[in-house]
PDB file of all heavy atoms in Angstrom:
ATOM      1  N   PHE H  23     -58.504 -48.301 -31.509  1.00 96.00           N
ATOM      2  CA  PHE H  23     -58.931 -48.853 -30.231  1.00 96.00           C
ATOM      3  C   PHE H  23     -57.788 -48.872 -29.211  1.00 96.00           C
ATOM      4  O   PHE H  23     -57.925 -48.359 -28.089  1.00 96.00           O
ATOM      5  CB  PHE H  23     -59.467 -50.268 -30.478  1.00 96.00           C
ATOM      6  CG  PHE H  23     -59.912 -50.963 -29.226  1.00 96.00           C
ATOM      7  CD1 PHE H  23     -61.108 -50.628 -28.628  1.00 96.00           C
ATOM      8  CD2 PHE H  23     -59.125 -51.961 -28.650  1.00 96.00           C
ATOM      9  CE1 PHE H  23     -61.523 -51.267 -27.474  1.00 96.00           C
ATOM     10  CE2 PHE H  23     -59.535 -52.601 -27.492  1.00 96.00           C
ATOM     11  CZ  PHE H  23     -60.732 -52.250 -26.902  1.00 96.00           C
ATOM     12  N   TRP H  24     -56.641 -49.423 -29.620  1.00 97.00           N
ATOM     13  CA  TRP H  24     -55.541 -49.537 -28.650  1.00 97.00           C
ATOM     14  C   TRP H  24     -54.963 -48.183 -28.274  1.00 97.00           C
ATOM     15  O   TRP H  24     -54.541 -47.968 -27.141  1.00 97.00           O
ATOM     16  CB  TRP H  24     -54.450 -50.478 -29.179  1.00 97.00           C
ATOM     17  CG  TRP H  24     -54.879 -51.903 -29.087  1.00 97.00           C
ATOM     18  CD1 TRP H  24     -55.166 -52.737 -30.122  1.00 97.00           C
ATOM     19  CD2 TRP H  24     -55.127 -52.656 -27.882  1.00 97.00           C
ATOM     20  NE1 TRP H  24     -55.577 -53.967 -29.647  1.00 97.00           N
ATOM     21  CE2 TRP H  24     -55.558 -53.945 -28.286  1.00 97.00           C
ATOM     22  CE3 TRP H  24     -55.033 -52.370 -26.521  1.00 97.00           C
ATOM     23  CZ2 TRP H  24     -55.895 -54.937 -27.371  1.00 97.00           C
ATOM     24  CZ3 TRP H  24     -55.355 -53.372 -25.605  1.00 97.00           C
ATOM     25  CH2 TRP H  24     -55.783 -54.627 -26.029  1.00 97.00           C
ATOM     26  N   THR H  25     -54.935 -47.264 -29.229  1.00 97.00           N
ATOM     27  CA  THR H  25     -54.431 -45.935 -28.909  1.00 97.00           C
ATOM     28  C   THR H  25     -55.330 -45.291 -27.855  1.00 97.00           C
ATOM     29  O   THR H  25     -54.863 -44.756 -26.846  1.00 97.00           O
ATOM     30  CB  THR H  25     -54.413 -45.041 -30.162  1.00 97.00           C
ATOM     31  OG1 THR H  25     -53.627 -45.665 -31.161  1.00 97.00           O
ATOM     32  CG2 THR H  25     -53.838 -43.670 -29.843  1.00 97.00           C
ATOM     33  N   LEU H  26     -56.636 -45.406 -28.091  1.00 96.00           N
ATOM     34  CA  LEU H  26     -57.584 -44.751 -27.194  1.00 96.00           C
ATOM     35  C   LEU H  26     -57.512 -45.318 -25.780  1.00 96.00           C
ATOM     36  O   LEU H  26     -57.380 -44.570 -24.808  1.00 96.00           O
ATOM     37  CB  LEU H  26     -58.998 -44.926 -27.765  1.00 96.00           C
ATOM     38  CG  LEU H  26     -59.986 -43.835 -27.442  1.00 96.00           C
ATOM     39  CD1 LEU H  26     -59.469 -42.503 -27.933  1.00 96.00           C
ATOM     40  CD2 LEU H  26     -61.322 -44.147 -28.094  1.00 96.00           C
ATOM     41  N   ILE H  27     -57.577 -46.658 -25.664  1.00 96.00           N
ATOM     42  CA  ILE H  27     -57.650 -47.196 -24.301  1.00 96.00           C
ATOM     43  C   ILE H  27     -56.306 -47.129 -23.576  1.00 96.00           C
ATOM     44  O   ILE H  27     -56.247 -47.327 -22.371  1.00 96.00           O
ATOM     45  CB  ILE H  27     -58.251 -48.623 -24.209  1.00 96.00           C
ATOM     46  CG1 ILE H  27     -57.373 -49.633 -24.922  1.00 96.00           C
ATOM     47  CG2 ILE H  27     -59.659 -48.674 -24.748  1.00 96.00           C
ATOM     48  CD1 ILE H  27     -57.755 -51.052 -24.481  1.00 96.00           C
ATOM     49  N   THR H  28     -55.230 -46.859 -24.310  1.00 97.00           N
ATOM     50  CA  THR H  28     -53.951 -46.677 -23.626  1.00 97.00           C
ATOM     51  C   THR H  28     -53.705 -45.203 -23.335  1.00 97.00           C
ATOM     52  O   THR H  28     -53.256 -44.836 -22.250  1.00 97.00           O
ATOM     53  CB  THR H  28     -52.788 -47.224 -24.478  1.00 97.00           C
ATOM     54  OG1 THR H  28     -53.179 -48.484 -24.999  1.00 97.00           O
ATOM     55  CG2 THR H  28     -51.540 -47.389 -23.648  1.00 97.00           C
ATOM     56  N   ALA H  29     -53.984 -44.343 -24.326  1.00 97.00           N
ATOM     57  CA  ALA H  29     -53.601 -42.940 -24.200  1.00 97.00           C
ATOM     58  C   ALA H  29     -54.484 -42.176 -23.204  1.00 97.00           C
ATOM     59  O   ALA H  29     -54.002 -41.227 -22.577  1.00 97.00           O
ATOM     60  CB  ALA H  29     -53.639 -42.256 -25.571  1.00 97.00           C
ATOM     61  N   ILE H  30     -55.736 -42.574 -23.035  1.00 95.00           N
ATOM     62  CA  ILE H  30     -56.584 -41.830 -22.087  1.00 95.00           C
ATOM     63  C   ILE H  30     -56.100 -42.014 -20.647  1.00 95.00           C
ATOM     64  O   ILE H  30     -55.841 -41.026 -19.957  1.00 95.00           O
ATOM     65  CB  ILE H  30     -58.083 -42.163 -22.273  1.00 95.00           C
ATOM     66  CG1 ILE H  30     -58.570 -41.512 -23.574  1.00 95.00           C
ATOM     67  CG2 ILE H  30     -58.913 -41.653 -21.095  1.00 95.00           C
ATOM     68  CD1 ILE H  30     -60.028 -41.725 -23.887  1.00 95.00           C
ATOM     69  N   PRO H  31     -55.932 -43.276 -20.165  1.00 95.00           N
ATOM     70  CA  PRO H  31     -55.400 -43.412 -18.794  1.00 95.00           C
ATOM     71  C   PRO H  31     -54.009 -42.784 -18.641  1.00 95.00           C
ATOM     72  O   PRO H  31     -53.732 -42.124 -17.638  1.00 95.00           O
ATOM     73  CB  PRO H  31     -55.322 -44.925 -18.580  1.00 95.00           C
ATOM     74  CG  PRO H  31     -56.202 -45.520 -19.611  1.00 95.00           C
ATOM     75  CD  PRO H  31     -56.255 -44.576 -20.758  1.00 95.00           C
ATOM     76  N   LEU H  32     -53.150 -42.966 -19.654  1.00 97.00           N
ATOM     77  CA  LEU H  32     -51.821 -42.353 -19.573  1.00 97.00           C
ATOM     78  C   LEU H  32     -51.935 -40.830 -19.528  1.00 97.00           C
ATOM     79  O   LEU H  32     -51.198 -40.164 -18.800  1.00 97.00           O
ATOM     80  CB  LEU H  32     -50.965 -42.761 -20.778  1.00 97.00           C
ATOM     81  CG  LEU H  32     -50.364 -44.171 -20.745  1.00 97.00           C
ATOM     82  CD1 LEU H  32     -49.600 -44.452 -22.039  1.00 97.00           C
ATOM     83  CD2 LEU H  32     -49.444 -44.333 -19.537  1.00 97.00           C
ATOM     84  N   GLY H  33     -52.880 -40.305 -20.302  1.00 96.00           N
ATOM     85  CA  GLY H  33     -53.095 -38.850 -20.307  1.00 96.00           C
ATOM     86  C   GLY H  33     -53.483 -38.344 -18.925  1.00 96.00           C
ATOM     87  O   GLY H  33     -52.997 -37.303 -18.469  1.00 96.00           O
ATOM     88  N   ILE H  34     -54.334 -39.111 -18.231  1.00 95.00           N
ATOM     89  CA  ILE H  34     -54.736 -38.722 -16.871  1.00 95.00           C
ATOM     90  C   ILE H  34     -53.514 -38.705 -15.956  1.00 95.00           C
ATOM     91  O   ILE H  34     -53.280 -37.761 -15.209  1.00 95.00           O
ATOM     92  CB  ILE H  34     -55.821 -39.670 -16.312  1.00 95.00           C
ATOM     93  CG1 ILE H  34     -57.102 -39.546 -17.146  1.00 95.00           C
ATOM     94  CG2 ILE H  34     -56.114 -39.370 -14.842  1.00 95.00           C
ATOM     95  CD1 ILE H  34     -58.223 -40.472 -16.724  1.00 95.00           C
ATOM     96  N   ILE H  35     -52.692 -39.769 -16.065  1.00 95.00           N
ATOM     97  CA  ILE H  35     -51.517 -39.861 -15.202  1.00 95.00           C
ATOM     98  C   ILE H  35     -50.548 -38.700 -15.487  1.00 95.00           C
ATOM     99  O   ILE H  35     -50.063 -38.035 -14.571  1.00 95.00           O
ATOM    100  CB  ILE H  35     -50.814 -41.223 -15.390  1.00 95.00           C
ATOM    101  CG1 ILE H  35     -51.729 -42.334 -14.871  1.00 95.00           C
ATOM    102  CG2 ILE H  35     -49.473 -41.253 -14.674  1.00 95.00           C
ATOM    103  CD1 ILE H  35     -51.285 -43.729 -15.250  1.00 95.00           C
ATOM    104  N   VAL H  36     -50.303 -38.427 -16.774  1.00 97.00           N
ATOM    105  CA  VAL H  36     -49.388 -37.341 -17.133  1.00 97.00           C
ATOM    106  C   VAL H  36     -49.946 -35.989 -16.654  1.00 97.00           C
ATOM    107  O   VAL H  36     -49.206 -35.138 -16.157  1.00 97.00           O
ATOM    108  CB  VAL H  36     -49.121 -37.313 -18.658  1.00 97.00           C
ATOM    109  CG1 VAL H  36     -48.347 -36.066 -19.064  1.00 97.00           C
ATOM    110  CG2 VAL H  36     -48.354 -38.560 -19.079  1.00 97.00           C
ATOM    111  N   SER H  37     -51.274 -35.817 -16.763  1.00 96.00           N
ATOM    112  CA  SER H  37     -51.854 -34.541 -16.324  1.00 96.00           C
ATOM    113  C   SER H  37     -51.666 -34.353 -14.813  1.00 96.00           C
ATOM    114  O   SER H  37     -51.407 -33.246 -14.346  1.00 96.00           O
ATOM    115  CB  SER H  37     -53.328 -34.454 -16.696  1.00 96.00           C
ATOM    116  OG  SER H  37     -54.098 -35.322 -15.901  1.00 96.00           O
ATOM    117  N   LEU H  38     -51.751 -35.456 -14.066  1.00 94.00           N
ATOM    118  CA  LEU H  38     -51.506 -35.359 -12.617  1.00 94.00           C
ATOM    119  C   LEU H  38     -50.047 -34.977 -12.369  1.00 94.00           C
ATOM    120  O   LEU H  38     -49.749 -34.193 -11.468  1.00 94.00           O
ATOM    121  CB  LEU H  38     -51.851 -36.676 -11.912  1.00 94.00           C
ATOM    122  CG  LEU H  38     -53.341 -37.023 -11.882  1.00 94.00           C
ATOM    123  CD1 LEU H  38     -53.560 -38.420 -11.309  1.00 94.00           C
ATOM    124  CD2 LEU H  38     -54.116 -35.998 -11.068  1.00 94.00           C
ATOM    125  N   GLY H  39     -49.163 -35.515 -13.176  1.00 96.00           N
ATOM    126  CA  GLY H  39     -47.748 -35.148 -13.090  1.00 96.00           C
ATOM    127  C   GLY H  39     -47.535 -33.674 -13.391  1.00 96.00           C
ATOM    128  O   GLY H  39     -46.746 -32.998 -12.734  1.00 96.00           O
ATOM    129  N   LEU H  40     -48.265 -33.165 -14.380  1.00 96.00           N
ATOM    130  CA  LEU H  40     -48.157 -31.746 -14.743  1.00 96.00           C
ATOM    131  C   LEU H  40     -48.590 -30.841 -13.602  1.00 96.00           C
ATOM    132  O   LEU H  40     -48.194 -29.692 -13.515  1.00 96.00           O
ATOM    133  CB  LEU H  40     -49.041 -31.449 -15.961  1.00 96.00           C
ATOM    134  CG  LEU H  40     -48.539 -31.920 -17.320  1.00 96.00           C
ATOM    135  CD1 LEU H  40     -49.630 -31.798 -18.359  1.00 96.00           C
ATOM    136  CD2 LEU H  40     -47.325 -31.098 -17.744  1.00 96.00           C
ATOM    137  N   LEU H  41     -49.468 -31.389 -12.738  1.00 94.00           N
ATOM    138  CA  LEU H  41     -49.985 -30.585 -11.631  1.00 94.00           C
ATOM    139  C   LEU H  41     -49.264 -30.882 -10.330  1.00 94.00           C
ATOM    140  O   LEU H  41     -49.630 -30.373  -9.276  1.00 94.00           O
ATOM    141  CB  LEU H  41     -51.487 -30.853 -11.458  1.00 94.00           C
ATOM    142  CG  LEU H  41     -52.370 -30.434 -12.645  1.00 94.00           C
ATOM    143  CD1 LEU H  41     -53.773 -30.977 -12.490  1.00 94.00           C
ATOM    144  CD2 LEU H  41     -52.387 -28.924 -12.782  1.00 94.00           C
ATOM    145  N   SER H  42     -48.223 -31.736 -10.386  1.00 93.00           N
ATOM    146  CA  SER H  42     -47.543 -32.118  -9.141  1.00 93.00           C
ATOM    147  C   SER H  42     -46.682 -30.953  -8.636  1.00 93.00           C
ATOM    148  O   SER H  42     -46.382 -30.015  -9.361  1.00 93.00           O
ATOM    149  CB  SER H  42     -46.682 -33.353  -9.355  1.00 93.00           C
ATOM    150  OG  SER H  42     -45.399 -32.964  -9.792  1.00 93.00           O
ATOM    151  N   TYR H  43     -46.299 -31.058  -7.394  1.00 93.00           N
ATOM    152  CA  TYR H  43     -45.466 -30.017  -6.794  1.00 93.00           C
ATOM    153  C   TYR H  43     -43.991 -30.221  -7.081  1.00 93.00           C
ATOM    154  O   TYR H  43     -43.157 -29.425  -6.702  1.00 93.00           O
ATOM    155  CB  TYR H  43     -45.701 -29.968  -5.271  1.00 93.00           C
ATOM    156  CG  TYR H  43     -47.079 -29.498  -4.908  1.00 93.00           C
ATOM    157  CD1 TYR H  43     -48.027 -30.368  -4.389  1.00 93.00           C
ATOM    158  CD2 TYR H  43     -47.439 -28.161  -5.092  1.00 93.00           C
ATOM    159  CE1 TYR H  43     -49.302 -29.926  -4.078  1.00 93.00           C
ATOM    160  CE2 TYR H  43     -48.709 -27.716  -4.790  1.00 93.00           C
ATOM    161  CZ  TYR H  43     -49.637 -28.601  -4.275  1.00 93.00           C
ATOM    162  OH  TYR H  43     -50.889 -28.152  -3.979  1.00 93.00           O
ATOM    163  N   PHE H  44     -43.665 -31.341  -7.745  1.00 95.00           N
ATOM    164  CA  PHE H  44     -42.275 -31.690  -7.994  1.00 95.00           C
ATOM    165  C   PHE H  44     -41.837 -31.080  -9.324  1.00 95.00           C
ATOM    166  O   PHE H  44     -42.207 -31.544 -10.399  1.00 95.00           O
ATOM    167  CB  PHE H  44     -42.143 -33.219  -8.016  1.00 95.00           C
ATOM    168  CG  PHE H  44     -40.734 -33.704  -8.118  1.00 95.00           C
ATOM    169  CD1 PHE H  44     -39.771 -33.289  -7.205  1.00 95.00           C
ATOM    170  CD2 PHE H  44     -40.364 -34.590  -9.120  1.00 95.00           C
ATOM    171  CE1 PHE H  44     -38.469 -33.745  -7.301  1.00 95.00           C
ATOM    172  CE2 PHE H  44     -39.064 -35.057  -9.217  1.00 95.00           C
ATOM    173  CZ  PHE H  44     -38.115 -34.619  -8.302  1.00 95.00           C
ATOM    174  N   LYS H  45     -41.071 -29.999  -9.249  1.00 95.00           N
ATOM    175  CA  LYS H  45     -40.797 -29.191 -10.438  1.00 95.00           C
ATOM    176  C   LYS H  45     -40.080 -29.939 -11.576  1.00 95.00           C
ATOM    177  O   LYS H  45     -40.479 -29.814 -12.737  1.00 95.00           O
ATOM    178  CB  LYS H  45     -40.021 -27.920 -10.054  1.00 95.00           C
ATOM    179  CG  LYS H  45     -40.187 -26.842 -11.100  1.00 95.00           C
ATOM    180  CD  LYS H  45     -39.647 -25.509 -10.634  1.00 95.00           C
ATOM    181  CE  LYS H  45     -39.699 -24.510 -11.783  1.00 95.00           C
ATOM    182  NZ  LYS H  45     -38.846 -23.349 -11.570  1.00 95.00           N
ATOM    183  N   PRO H  46     -39.029 -30.735 -11.259  1.00 96.00           N
ATOM    184  CA  PRO H  46     -38.360 -31.448 -12.353  1.00 96.00           C
ATOM    185  C   PRO H  46     -39.328 -32.315 -13.168  1.00 96.00           C
ATOM    186  O   PRO H  46     -39.248 -32.366 -14.392  1.00 96.00           O
ATOM    187  CB  PRO H  46     -37.324 -32.314 -11.627  1.00 96.00           C
ATOM    188  CG  PRO H  46     -37.070 -31.591 -10.351  1.00 96.00           C
ATOM    189  CD  PRO H  46     -38.362 -30.932  -9.972  1.00 96.00           C
ATOM    190  N   LEU H  47     -40.249 -32.974 -12.473  1.00 96.00           N
ATOM    191  CA  LEU H  47     -41.232 -33.809 -13.170  1.00 96.00           C
ATOM    192  C   LEU H  47     -42.086 -32.955 -14.099  1.00 96.00           C
ATOM    193  O   LEU H  47     -42.318 -33.298 -15.261  1.00 96.00           O
ATOM    194  CB  LEU H  47     -42.119 -34.529 -12.143  1.00 96.00           C
ATOM    195  CG  LEU H  47     -43.245 -35.388 -12.718  1.00 96.00           C
ATOM    196  CD1 LEU H  47     -42.689 -36.561 -13.505  1.00 96.00           C
ATOM    197  CD2 LEU H  47     -44.177 -35.887 -11.614  1.00 96.00           C
ATOM    198  N   ARG H  48     -42.525 -31.803 -13.583  1.00 96.00           N
ATOM    199  CA  ARG H  48     -43.351 -30.907 -14.403  1.00 96.00           C
ATOM    200  C   ARG H  48     -42.596 -30.470 -15.652  1.00 96.00           C
ATOM    201  O   ARG H  48     -43.149 -30.450 -16.742  1.00 96.00           O
ATOM    202  CB  ARG H  48     -43.735 -29.660 -13.587  1.00 96.00           C
ATOM    203  CG  ARG H  48     -44.861 -29.875 -12.602  1.00 96.00           C
ATOM    204  CD  ARG H  48     -45.603 -28.588 -12.310  1.00 96.00           C
ATOM    205  NE  ARG H  48     -44.742 -27.453 -12.061  1.00 96.00           N
ATOM    206  CZ  ARG H  48     -44.332 -27.046 -10.857  1.00 96.00           C
ATOM    207  NH1 ARG H  48     -44.715 -27.728  -9.784  1.00 96.00           N
ATOM    208  NH2 ARG H  48     -43.571 -25.989 -10.719  1.00 96.00           N
ATOM    209  N   LEU H  49     -41.315 -30.137 -15.469  1.00 97.00           N
ATOM    210  CA  LEU H  49     -40.518 -29.651 -16.602  1.00 97.00           C
ATOM    211  C   LEU H  49     -40.344 -30.735 -17.666  1.00 97.00           C
ATOM    212  O   LEU H  49     -40.504 -30.490 -18.850  1.00 97.00           O
ATOM    213  CB  LEU H  49     -39.148 -29.160 -16.112  1.00 97.00           C
ATOM    214  CG  LEU H  49     -39.197 -27.832 -15.348  1.00 97.00           C
ATOM    215  CD1 LEU H  49     -37.810 -27.463 -14.839  1.00 97.00           C
ATOM    216  CD2 LEU H  49     -39.756 -26.717 -16.219  1.00 97.00           C
TER     217      LEU H  49
END
Side-chain angles (χ1 to χ4, degrees):
Chain H
F23 179 76
W24 285 111
T25 303
L26 209 58
I27 64 164
T28 316
I30 288 181
L32 283 177
I34 296 178
I35 293 168
V36 171
S37 71
L38 291 173
L40 285 169
L41 296 169
S42 88
Y43 293 109
F44 186 55
K45 202 170 174 198
L47 177 65
R48 282 206 314 266
L49 287 177

